[in-house]
Amino acid sequence: MDNERYKRLRDADHRHLWHPFTQMRAWLADDEPLIVERGDGNWLIDVNGRRYLDGVSSLWCNVHGHRKPALDAALSEQLGKIAHSTMLGMSSVPAIELARELIAIAPSGLTRVFYSDSGAEAVEVALRIATQYWQLRGETRRTKFLTLTESYHGDTAGSASLGYSEIFHRYLKPILFPVLKIDPPHLFRFARGLDPTAAEAAAIAAARNLIVVYRDELAGLVIEPMMQGAAGMWNHSADFLRAITKLAREAGTLVIFDEVAVGFGRTGRMFASEHAGVAPDLMCLGKGITGGYLPLAATLATEAMFDAFLGEPHEYRAFYYGHTYTGNPLAASVALANLGIFRDERVIERIQERIVQMRAGLERRFAGHPHVADIRQVGLMVGIEIMEDAGRRTPYPSRLLTGARIARAARKRGVAIRPLGDVIVLMPPLSITFDELDLLLGATRESLDEITSV
Ligand code: PLP
């Protein structure tokens, strides 16, 4: 780590950058930050030429690996035409073609695509479409949203209101709007000591009670289907998803799926809602939509939602929302190529083997470990919950930063992972190979032992 260029970059980083979700005092005290320069398949390569397996897909977005030739080519080709033009008052070829392809693979009933630039904005758009929809329909009391406790929907003020997290958003609380919360089965199971079946029944019963009280005021249910990612990889069953969706439908409210993290194959299906065979009124997409190449997001809507906004221009019923780079042609063209890879390389079919390997590897290397309190997996999304005493469910004191130290120990073994507190997250690109997945699991287990045996 004594390369001169590395030191110059590190010092400039320390002098000028402010990193997201980062306690900068700790960052500045670290004189060996990882500085990425290149990518190669499922690997990150730092400025010193060291290679790290991208164990969390560059924050859950990379899908087919880095420098994927078909994606690089799509981007270069589009660059030879135009980098950006606006969606306000005109259209563009990639934005149109991508919309057509997204609708072709989306859950039934979704017919319209509204673009934005990040997952948080995709949720913000859903929130605003839903709110305006009810106002336009004359059901003006429907202004309340229902979400799962500890759900995460992004970091704009609107999406942070929906997905309020005490750790992330408490200083923002004075300006956030109130949201109704349903405790998911995970909380009943872990905070209240129930078995999985009882936990699910209790969560559904509690949700029913809440929905009955507010049924005429509900604008929509917003949910991360199958897996609450940032909460700490809290999974729920397809039955729970079906039940909760049914309750929302019975209350006459909208169903909004946030597939920003779970979409594009992560759970073993193209979209996580496919596990339950349920379709939403609005669906939020981001992260993997471009294969992890460029910032692009989309909110898909049904024709009924879309129709409510129609009218004469002077009636001002339009959806007045947008950003400068909405529907960016470079991002849309790489997203289109991403969908092409899913189809041509039969990605969803191919990853089933990796999912089975993941399950077996987790069982073999982590089940029964004295510091592993829980292992949660849906497809290639995994959370391994680390505790001081797994049997008694005693967590490590947070000041020990156990999860972060395990991730740091993994880096020495050539694996880049980022935990959520003391939950180790494994979420590799869908293109991970047998040997790479074996390395990811093995290095994570060794790192866990190294840190927890002290
Ligand atoms: N929704 C979910 C479920 C997420 O996991 C995330 C990010 O992790 C977001 C929304 C926000 O996406 P972005 O970071 O692109 O704004």
Side-chain angles (χ1 to χ4, degrees):
M1 289 273 179
D2 47 14
N3 167 320
E4 276 313 308
R5 179 158 168 264
Y6 175 78
K7 280 187 183 160
R8 272 201 312 279
L9 285 164
R10 177 199 61 198
D11 294 348
D13 175 298
H14 281 179
R15 244 191 333 271
H16 301 300
L17 281 180
W18 190 342
H19 288 261
F21 284 89
T22 301
Q23 175 42 256
M24 288 304 290
R25 179 179 287 171
W27 177 269
L28 296 176
D30 177 5
D31 59 8
E32 292 188 351
L34 175 50
I35 304 177
V36 172
E37 183 158 52
R38 298 166 175 280
D40 174 23
N42 302 314
W43 296 79
L44 302 167
I45 303 169
D46 74 9
V47 291
N48 292 312
R50 290 198 190 90
R51 294 166 67 86
Y52 306 88
L53 185 61
D54 192 354
V56 289
S57 300
S58 292
L59 214 66
W60 313 358
C61 68
N62 189 281
V63 180
H64 312 292
H66 302 277
R67 304 296 323 271
K68 178 80 178 170
L71 298 184
D72 288 8
L75 205 45
S76 311
E77 198 186 321
Q78 181 59 36
L79 204 47
K81 295 175 184 162
I82 188 169
H84 183 67
S85 60
T86 183
M87 293 283 290
L88 277 66
M90 57 182 80
S91 200
S92 77
V93 178
I96 296 168
E97 288 179 343
L98 175 61
R100 193 176 50 204
E101 293 298 311
L102 281 173
I103 292 306
I105 59 168
S108 67
L110 297 170
T111 55
R112 296 280 167 179
V113 177
F114 191 97
Y115 291 118
S116 56
D117 312 334
S118 67
E121 289 166 62
V123 173
E124 186 80 29
V125 167
L127 168 72
R128 298 216 196 170
I129 290 179
T131 302
Q132 186 170 338
Y133 171 81
W134 291 119
Q135 298 297 310
L136 290 170
R137 295 255 323 238
E139 297 200 38
T140 53
R141 287 182 65 211
R142 289 198 180 270
T143 57
K144 290 190 166 58
F145 287 88
L146 194 61
T147 64
L148 298 188
T149 305
E150 287 295 323
S151 64
Y152 177 78
H153 299 291
D155 280 310
T156 61
S159 57
S161 296
L162 288 179
Y164 181 76
S165 147
E166 191 60 27
I167 290 178
F168 297 162
H169 302 133
R170 68 190 156 128
Y171 296 113
L172 210 59
K173 204 169 186 170
I175 64 158
L176 300 182
F177 60 80
V179 163
L180 298 167
K181 292 285 174 191
I182 298 173
D183 284 347
H186 178 81
L187 277 183
F188 283 91
R189 200 163 133 219
F190 286 88
R192 307 177 196 187
L194 300 181
D195 68 49
T197 317
E200 195 167 289
I204 293 169
R208 182 179 294 113
N209 292 340
L210 189 71
I211 289 173
V212 163
V213 173
Y214 290 99
R215 59 171 298 141
D216 300 329
E217 295 168 65
L218 289 179
L221 164 74
V222 184
I223 184 167
E224 296 163 77
M226 303 304 288
M227 186 68 119
Q228 289 181 247
M233 297 292 161
W234 293 1
N235 61 322
H236 52 246
S237 70
D239 283 345
F240 175 75
L241 183 60
R242 255 191 305 273
I244 202 92
T245 304
K246 185 160 174 271
L247 288 174
R249 294 256 177 250
E250 284 166 1
T253 195
L254 299 171
V255 173
I256 302 168
F257 287 161
D258 176 353
E259 294 242 7
V260 169
V262 295
F264 298 101
R266 294 289 168 196
T267 69
R269 300 286 185 94
M270 193 60 166
F271 300 112
S273 60
E274 292 172 23
H275 289 280
V278 285
D281 301 290
L282 294 165
M283 180 164 86
C284 309
L285 300 174
K287 289 189 183 281
I289 190 171
T290 59
Y293 263 52
L294 283 175
L296 180 77
T299 307
L300 275 52
T302 61
E303 205 64 9
M305 304 289 307
F306 177 80
D307 280 348
F309 290 69
L310 300 179
E312 295 305 318
H314 66 268
E315 291 177 284
Y316 302 106
R317 296 170 70 94
F319 185 48
Y320 292 105
Y321 183 97
H323 295 279
T324 306
Y325 287 102
T326 289
N328 173 262
L330 286 175
S333 62
V334 80
L336 195 58
N338 169 43
L339 298 187
I341 295 170
F342 268 100
R343 193 179 48 239
D344 299 344
E345 299 186 11
R346 303 208 314 275
V347 170
I348 300 295
E349 212 176 300
R350 207 191 56 214
I351 59 170
Q352 302 308 318
E353 244 184 291
R354 290 287 84 71
I355 293 170
V356 171
Q357 183 193 350
M358 179 75 96
R359 184 162 301 120
L362 288 168
E363 177 67 28
R364 184 162 68 82
R365 296 187 201 254
F366 293 93
H369 189 286
H371 297 292
V372 171
D374 196 25
I375 302 170
R376 299 184 283 273
Q377 178 194 5
V378 181
L380 287 175
M381 295 178 82
V382 169
I384 304 168
E385 186 139 8
I386 306 304
M387 288 196 172
E388 184 156 20
D389 185 334
R392 294 202 167 89
R393 296 197 55 77
T394 317
Y396 281 106
S398 55
R399 70 185 149 70
L400 293 183
L401 301 175
T402 307
R405 286 191 297 129
I406 292 169
R408 191 59 178 240
R411 193 193 294 178
K412 282 190 305 194
R413 296 174 171 85
V415 165
I417 50 176
R418 181 177 167 86
L420 289 159
D422 285 348
V423 176
I424 300 173
V425 173
L426 304 180
M427 198 160 156
L430 304 187
S431 51
I432 193 161
T433 64
F434 179 92
D435 290 343
E436 288 166 345
L437 183 50
D438 200 49
L439 168 70
L440 176 63
L441 289 161
T444 304
R445 168 63 202 256
E446 285 174 22
S447 307
L448 167 67
D449 287 343
E450 180 191 324
I451 299 302
T452 58
S453 66
V454 182

